[in-house]
Amino acid sequence: MSGAVRAATTLALWSAAWRGGASPDDVLTAIDGADQRAGVRAATAEIAAMTGLPGPGSPTAGSAALLPLLRAGGDAELVLPYPGDLRGLPTSGELTVVGLEAGAAVTLTGSSLAVVPVNGHWRVFANHARHPADGVPEAHDRLDDEVARATRNLAALDVARQSDGARDRVRELMLAEAVSTPPAMPRVASALLATSISLQALLTVADSHDTNAVNLYQMAAVDDALRPLAIAIREARRAAVAAGVRALAGSRVPGSR
């Protein structure tokens, strides 16, 4: 997954923490730490007029301009579109193109706005589509099933390979994709998010065909074996974020207003 997925995950969780009483400094530090420091801009003149954000062609506003939108936007919903699955996005239009290219978006369900990380900045669109996440138990069970299935299939293909370089690459990816979660994040959601990040790192390395597959048939077979796991990993991340959003938005930080 791209850095946009990490950025969108961070935004969704800290949006809920902000609504639950986290300090603006903590929220902005987390959001800016997701490498989207170039500010925020509305995607259309209509969205600019509705939100007060700068519109197309104007300089971006600072990331603090997101705070009023996040406070009033209701629950944040993480969307992770990919070719063949555009649930949570419109069937067509600029948001769909941009969201698919980024691989991630955050819909603010109370205001029907979507925020997409694009080339280092946040772009705000209108979005009435919804794609509710699975519950944590269902997502966890699905993930376990797909890990077991992928393991069996790869073993049957006899293409697995141990590699010091691969292990180092997995560690690098896990560190690069780690998400700064709010302190009040529920433990079960944090654990599922961490698992999805770890498995995504493994999947990324495996998907680079760093295996014993030596011909196109074997490479295609590896892709087929890993595809259901990739979907389960996405849905596990979405379930973890949804659980976190529900808990964080209802919490109140001691001393907060």
Side-chain angles (χ1 to χ4, degrees), residues 154-178:
L154 291 176
L157 290 168
D158 194 26
V159 296
R161 180 173 69 192
Q162 294 289 330
S163 167
D164 290 338
R167 286 193 290 270
D168 290 343
R169 179 60 179 150
V170 168
R171 284 193 291 268
E172 290 172 3
L173 287 170
M174 287 172 61
L175 289 173
E177 294 299 321

Side-chain angles (χ1 to χ4, degrees), residues 119-211:
N119 297 327
H121 75 279
W122 304 98
R123 194 175 301 173
V124 180
F125 297 81
N127 184 30
H128 297 279
R130 298 288 179 269
H131 180 22
D134 293 336
V136 167
E138 295 83 359
H140 200 292
D141 288 346
R142 180 180 183 182
L143 194 59
D144 285 347
D145 290 345
E146 294 302 341
V147 167
R149 182 177 290 110
T151 300
R152 290 195 302 270
N153 289 343
L154 291 176
L157 290 168
D158 194 26
V159 296
R161 180 173 69 192
Q162 294 289 330
S163 167
D164 290 338
R167 286 193 290 270
D168 290 343
R169 179 60 179 150
V170 168
R171 284 193 291 268
E172 290 172 3
L173 287 170
M174 287 172 61
L175 289 173
E177 294 299 321
V179 173
S180 173
T181 57
M185 180 84 164
R187 184 175 300 177
V188 65
S190 291
L192 184 58
L193 178 59
T195 298
S196 69
I197 291 171
S198 300
L199 288 174
Q200 182 60 48
L202 286 166
L203 186 66
T204 299
V205 172
D207 204 35
S208 69
H209 297 124
D210 185 15
T211 66

Side-chain angles (χ1 to χ4, degrees), residues 24-105:
D25 287 345
D26 288 346
V27 174
L28 291 174
T29 295
I31 291 174
D32 288 342
D35 297 328
Q36 304 294 313
R37 296 184 176 89
V40 55
R41 180 190 294 125
T44 67
E46 291 77 13
I47 297 297
M50 179 172 54
T51 62
L53 295 173
S58 300
T60 57
S63 53
L66 278 172
L67 294 182
L69 301 184
L70 300 180
R71 175 60 61 85
D75 285 346
E77 184 176 274
L78 178 65
V79 179
L80 300 175
Y82 59 95
D85 188 351
L86 298 179
R87 288 176 296 174
L89 295 179
T91 55
S92 62
E94 185 184 7
L95 170 57
T96 302
V97 173
V98 173
L100 185 58
E101 182 176 348

